[in-house]
Amino acid sequence: VQLQASGGGLVQPGGSLRLSCAASGDIFSINTMGWYRQAPGKQRGFVASITGGTTTYADSVKGRFTISRDYAKNTVYLQMNSLKPEDTAVFYCKAVLSEVQNMGVYYDYWGQGTEVTVSS
């Protein structure tokens, strides 16, 4: 199983970016998909997650970021609007999923990270 994240880049304050993360491989079922971020010199922290129709956000991104999911494509998106310099970080996607070889047992899988820089 692999998670491939994309969509990061350099954007000016107030701008927008859309991150994508696609899960591939022998996947039986995906429970939760989400995004975390790690700013320079800081620990990795929660950004947003989606489980079924339920979304959860960190307080720092509520009203600015929107998480969504394409179940047919095993892909999760993060639409980021009104970006601030403090949003600068490497963003990682995570999926809680079960593989075909081990149906019903769920583990965390992480993508490789995509870098977001908010600067003028």
Side-chain angles (χ1 to χ4, degrees):
V1 172
Q2 288 187 332
L3 272 66
Q4 183 68 43
S6 61
L10 173 64
V11 63
Q12 291 187 342
S16 298
L17 280 176
R18 188 191 194 211
L19 306 183
S20 301
C21 176
S24 61
D26 292 333
I27 298 169
F28 171 64
S29 175
I30 300 178
N31 184 0
T32 299
M33 298 190 82
W35 292 93
Y36 290 71
R37 64 184 177 185
Q38 186 167 16
K42 295 186 177 181
Q43 291 188 332
R44 189 177 301 186
F46 172 78
V47 176
S49 67
I50 182 166
T51 305
T54 301
T55 57
T56 305
Y57 296 93
D59 287 342
S60 59
V61 306
K62 282 181 182 177
R64 300 188 298 122
F65 292 9
T66 302
I67 189 170
S68 60
R69 185 171 159 183
D70 185 328
Y71 289 84
K73 295 181 179 180
N74 288 335
T75 299
V76 64
Y77 305 96
L78 187 68
Q79 178 65 44
M80 305 186 294
N81 299 328
S82 302
L83 282 161
K84 305 174 182 180
E86 51 263 43
D87 293 316
T88 295
V90 177
F91 282 71
Y92 297 89
C93 60
K94 187 182 90 169
V96 182
L97 64 84
S98 172
E99 293 188 68
V100 170
Q101 298 90 330
N102 206 3
M103 296 181 188
V105 181
Y106 288 83
Y107 294 100
D108 293 349
Y109 291 82
W110 291 88
Q112 85 286 3
T114 184
E115 188 168 4
V116 172
T117 302
V118 185
S119 175
S120 54

